[in-house]
Amino acid sequence: MASDQYGTIPLPVRNAYLFRYSPFGFLGEGIILITNDGLTHIREIRDDIRSLPIIFTAICERKAKFCSGIEYLKQTSSKYIFPSSVNSMIAVPICFGSVVVGYICSTEFKDHLKMDDKLLSSFTYYGKLIGKFLENTTGAYDSIILSKRELEVMKRIAWGESTNEMADSMNISELTVKQYVKSAIKKLGANNRSHAVGELIRKGIIS
């Protein structure tokens, strides 16, 4: 269920493929597939999302995108073999501020689906809600080692945000951003920001 300005609207999907996304190499990596039968790991799926126009467009515009029929065949990769009954897809970006950190794809929908602008807006909002949840989720380790702001800055670096973008979205100066980065690097015993991000990923604090 997702709540938006139109009220609470049940999202009419029967499955959901969850992916993480990295702007470095435009890489999408599978995490899990959720269906009525349970969860399935899909870690073997790795894509350059530029080869999947519907997903690439959703990420670039930070909006849910839907295609069906001939457009579905044009906008999905031939390396995926779906049942012949599958002829539609929605791609929903998971947004953390101005950064897309993942996306959800669904290929099975409830009967008599009518995908209109109102429903697409609900999907888009749902992706933002998930991003907000991720933004507010921290582990015990980071609360001891890094401050909340230091961790936020390092997450944004991992997701490809520039110093200027971080300053704008966090409503702080670029100098303050750099100070957070410097202190985080020192606390983690890292040599530079890339090393610091690598340490946080290795420890499972960010992904």
Side-chain angles (χ1 to χ4, degrees):
M1 303 283 278
S3 297
D4 62 9
Q5 65 268 38
Y6 305 110
T8 301
I9 301 175
L11 300 181
V13 299
R14 291 198 171 100
N15 66 3
Y17 294 79
L18 176 62
F19 294 82
R20 66 167 56 91
Y21 172 69
S22 170
F24 301 106
F26 300 92
L27 180 64
E29 296 180 294
I31 301 176
I32 56 173
L33 164 62
I34 305 170
T35 67
N36 290 332
D37 297 324
L39 305 179
T40 304
H41 291 291
I42 53 170
R43 294 175 185 143
E44 72 281 1
I45 301 179
R46 293 168 62 90
D47 285 307
D48 180 333
I49 57 92
R50 290 173 293 187
S51 67
L52 299 163
I54 183 173
I55 297 173
F56 186 53
T57 303
I59 288 175
C60 289
E61 297 184 13
R62 299 182 183 87
K63 293 180 180 179
K65 296 293 179 180
F66 176 78
C67 63
S68 62
I70 297 299
E71 281 304 307
Y72 166 77
L73 297 175
K74 290 179 180 178
Q75 298 206 39
T76 55
S77 174
S78 60
K79 78 178 185 179
Y80 297 118
I81 302 175
F82 294 111
S84 58
S85 59
V86 173
N87 61 5
S88 301
M89 175 184 282
I90 190 166
V92 182
I94 299 172
C95 298
F96 174 69
S98 62
V99 178
V100 176
V101 298
Y103 55 93
I104 298 169
C105 293
S106 293
T107 58
E108 295 181 14
F109 304 89
K110 293 183 179 179
D111 296 335
H112 311 299
L113 171 70
K114 181 180 179 181
M115 188 65 70
D116 54 19
D117 290 342
K118 179 179 176 180
L119 190 51
L120 275 175
S121 293
S122 293
F123 275 104
T124 298
Y125 183 64
Y126 182 68
K128 291 179 180 178
L129 285 179
I130 296 175
K132 192 68 176 176
F133 172 79
L134 294 175
E135 178 181 353
N136 294 329
T137 301
T138 59
Y141 178 87
D142 60 63
S143 65
I144 297 171
I145 298 296
L146 301 183
S147 71
K148 184 176 179 180
R149 280 300 215 182
E150 288 167 347
L151 179 65
E152 182 178 357
V153 165
M154 298 311 293
K155 282 182 178 178
R156 290 176 182 272
I157 290 173
W159 294 335
E161 250 185 73
S162 68
T163 299
N164 179 261
E165 287 172 331
M166 284 187 277
D168 286 344
S169 59
M170 295 171 69
N171 198 27
I172 57 179
S173 69
E174 290 188 38
L175 178 60
T176 301
V177 171
K178 292 176 182 177
Q179 289 173 337
Y180 283 134
V181 173
K182 185 177 179 180
S183 60
I185 290 172
K186 184 177 180 180
K187 287 181 179 181
L188 291 166
N191 298 322
N192 51 47
R193 61 173 59 192
S194 296
H195 185 195
V197 168
E199 283 297 300
L200 290 170
I201 292 174
R202 184 178 66 82
K203 295 175 186 296
I205 296 169
I206 63 176
S207 60

